[in-house]
Amino acid sequence: VQENPAGQLQPVILSHLGRATTEEQQVKNGKWFIYKGFRKSLELYNIDRILLDEKAKALALHEKKVYLVEGCFDVAKMIEAGLLNVLSTLGGHLSDSQLTKIKLITDILGKDLEFFIWYDRDAAGRRGQSECLKLLESNRFQANGFNWDRKFLFKDRGAVSIPDMINDVCDFEVRQIRWLKAKGIL
């Protein structure tokens, strides 16, 4: 987002990105294709929606929460599950430039927002989530994170863990994300 001459926020298309769909593409060009000159550490994917889309903004204000995930496909899965108040850091790291955009969000939507970090299950995601939480808290933002090791108690099945095949937000089914939200886990 950027301010127009009248001082109003407006969306700006910065870049398009793509992802390798085959192993051959990944070996040849890398996992992601991003246009030359685009620096993901400067941006928060979906910030325009949170600040400009009335439904997303209303949900963030009602819940007093914004979700931070790693990837744009994680954002898409969350939106499909009805959670419109979600941003991607485009990787498992929150940069100082992105932190400035977090401040913009709280300046507009209120200082009482909580940022819920839900990075990937792998070592890089866990480390990134921990560092993100520390950075947010050290800058006086309210923050919490997803616990991949949490056990869920069911009367008929006992304690259940998240299956090993689920390693990021995209791996969950929409109904599972909605269940986590309904149970107050998200």
Side-chain angles (χ1 to χ4, degrees), residues 3 8-9 49 63 68-69 72 84 89 101 104-106 120 148 152 162 174 179 183:
E3 280 189 36
Q8 300 167 317
L9 292 178
R49 186 168 194 166
E63 292 184 354
L68 286 177
V69 295
C72 53
L84 310 176
T89 54
K101 293 181 186 296
L104 173 67
I105 292 167
T106 59
D120 293 356
W148 283 99
F152 304 94
I162 297 170
V174 167
W179 183 87
K183 295 295 181 186

Side-chain angles (χ1 to χ4, degrees), residues 63-185:
E63 292 184 354
K64 304 249 183 265
K65 186 180 289 186
V66 171
Y67 299 93
L68 286 177
V69 295
E70 280 194 38
C72 53
F73 294 108
D74 298 327
V75 169
K77 182 65 76 131
M78 297 277 284
I79 289 172
E80 187 179 357
L83 299 165
L84 310 176
N85 47 331
V86 59
L87 300 168
S88 167
T89 54
L90 299 168
H93 176 76
L94 180 68
S95 71
D96 289 334
S97 295
Q98 291 168 325
L99 188 66
T100 301
K101 293 181 186 296
I102 295 287
K103 183 179 181 328
L104 173 67
I105 292 167
T106 59
D107 287 347
I108 293 171
L109 300 182
K111 305 283 185 211
D112 56 346
L113 280 180
E114 174 191 28
F115 292 89
F116 188 90
I117 317 310
W118 192 2
Y119 283 174
D120 293 356
R121 188 180 205 168
D122 61 12
R126 289 175 186 252
R127 186 173 49 256
Q129 179 170 308
S130 176
E131 291 170 5
C132 182
L133 287 166
K134 286 177 190 170
L135 181 61
L136 288 168
E137 290 168 354
S138 71
N139 283 276
R140 296 194 170 100
F141 294 105
Q142 297 178 50
N144 203 346
F146 186 76
N147 179 1
W148 283 99
D149 301 317
R150 182 183 180 139
K151 303 275 190 228
F152 304 94
L153 296 175
F154 294 93
K155 291 178 186 177
D156 56 339
R157 298 188 297 177
V160 175
S161 300
I162 297 170
D164 291 338
M165 67 182 128
I166 296 178
N167 291 298
D168 69 26
V169 175
C170 275
D171 294 335
F172 284 90
E173 294 178 19
V174 167
R175 68 177 176 81
Q176 292 170 318
I177 293 172
R178 288 178 179 156
W179 183 87
L180 290 168
K181 178 67 179 154
K183 295 295 181 186
I185 297 162

Side-chain angles (χ1 to χ4, degrees), residues 36-48:
K36 194 173 187 170
F38 177 74
R39 294 187 47 212
K40 64 183 184 175
S41 64
L42 299 178
E43 305 304 330
L44 288 174
Y45 180 80
N46 207 43
I47 189 172
D48 56 328

